[in-house]
Amino acid sequence: MQGDDAELTVAVRAAQSGDETAFRTVYRTVHPRLLGYVRTLVGEVDAEDVASEAWLQIARDLERFTGDADRFRGWAARIARNRALDHIRMRGRRPAIGGDESELAARAADADTAGEALEALGTGRTLALIAQLPQDQAEAVVLRVVVGLDAKSAAGVLGKRPGAVRTAAHRGLRRLAELVTAGPGGPSAVDAGQDRRAGGANVSSGVTQLRARTQKDM
């Protein structure tokens, strides 16, 4: 367990015992990434309200939670997703990618190279490119890179098998890499129905490593 995860695990357990300072630590640690995920579902305008609703439920149900930091992030993301989908149903709108790309830029990817594709993007293009992905790939990428979940935890949030999430994240990151290498004058949309062959001179060695490693259970 990494240092940050160990600290979050301690804070969650203290918060479960009623320590308000510990709960504030949990909130400050998890909220920016959770808000980034909510923005991918409901957009910028409603994200803060939906995230607040999620935190109300997190606080209410915290005593019943069991697990470490990674499980907590997955549990919180699942609550946030449910609140976001409820919001979407009430408004009669489809999930939408949108919001501030700062959460993406701030996410450190210590355990793998999933952040390398996003680091290669200009921050102004990040959300625009993710918006071109199919929804399942967009969610998988954001859960992996922004929220920091492994494939198993992300699968629990999305109600899918880990293999399906790994595949969606891998394809999404590969397509992002293709858009990056295409440059501003390249294709403006992603062909969601066909995987284009990646490799050769158009893809950097760092992105090649990324694609190989995203096939694993990260």
Side-chain angles (χ1 to χ4, degrees):
M1 182 180 297
Q2 298 179 0
D4 290 347
D5 279 359
E7 292 175 7
L8 178 57
T9 298
V10 170
V12 168
R13 291 172 181 169
Q16 288 180 300
S17 299
D19 187 328
E20 294 183 4
T21 299
F23 185 83
R24 286 194 292 271
T25 298
V26 172
Y27 178 86
R28 287 195 300 268
T29 301
V30 176
H31 178 69
R33 298 173 187 177
L34 198 68
L35 180 61
Y37 177 48
V38 171
R39 279 174 170 147
T40 69
L41 295 172
V42 302
E44 174 70 23
V45 174
D46 298 327
E48 290 282 0
D49 288 343
V50 173
S52 294
E53 293 173 5
W55 277 105
L56 286 174
Q57 182 175 345
I58 290 168
R60 185 176 65 245
D61 297 344
L62 185 59
E63 290 183 357
R64 296 197 292 272
F65 169 77
T66 58
D68 59 9
D70 192 64
R71 288 181 63 86
F72 179 81
R73 283 192 291 265
W75 179 71
R78 186 162 58 250
I79 289 174
R81 187 175 195 268
N82 288 338
R83 297 289 70 76
L85 294 181
D86 287 345
H87 181 82
I88 290 166
R89 282 191 288 268
M90 288 177 59
R91 298 293 188 271
R93 294 185 293 127
R94 295 179 179 180
I97 302 293
D100 183 357
E101 68 275 1
S102 62
E103 287 85 4
L104 297 176
R107 168 61 185 157
D110 296 330
D112 54 72
T113 58
E116 290 179 9
L118 295 176
E119 290 172 5
L121 304 177
T123 56
R125 296 178 60 208
T126 303
L127 267 295
L129 293 180
I130 292 178
Q132 295 180 44
L133 301 177
Q135 185 66 28
D136 64 328
Q137 293 179 17
E139 282 200 73
V141 168
V142 174
L143 283 172
R144 288 290 295 112
V145 179
V146 180
V147 184
L149 302 183
D150 60 18
K152 183 177 179 181
S153 298
V157 174
L158 298 174
K160 298 181 178 180
R161 295 180 178 178
V165 173
R166 285 195 296 271
T167 298
H170 172 67
R171 289 177 176 172
L173 288 168
R174 182 170 64 185
R175 285 172 173 153
L176 285 176
E178 291 173 352
L179 291 176
V180 171
T181 57
S188 60
V190 175
D191 180 4
Q194 177 179 356
D195 283 331
R196 291 178 293 176
R197 190 171 72 90
N202 289 333
V203 183
S204 69
S205 61
V207 175
T208 301
Q209 293 176 4
L210 177 151
R211 290 200 304 268
R213 295 181 67 175
T214 51
Q215 290 177 324
K216 300 178 181 179
D217 187 1
M218 298 182 294

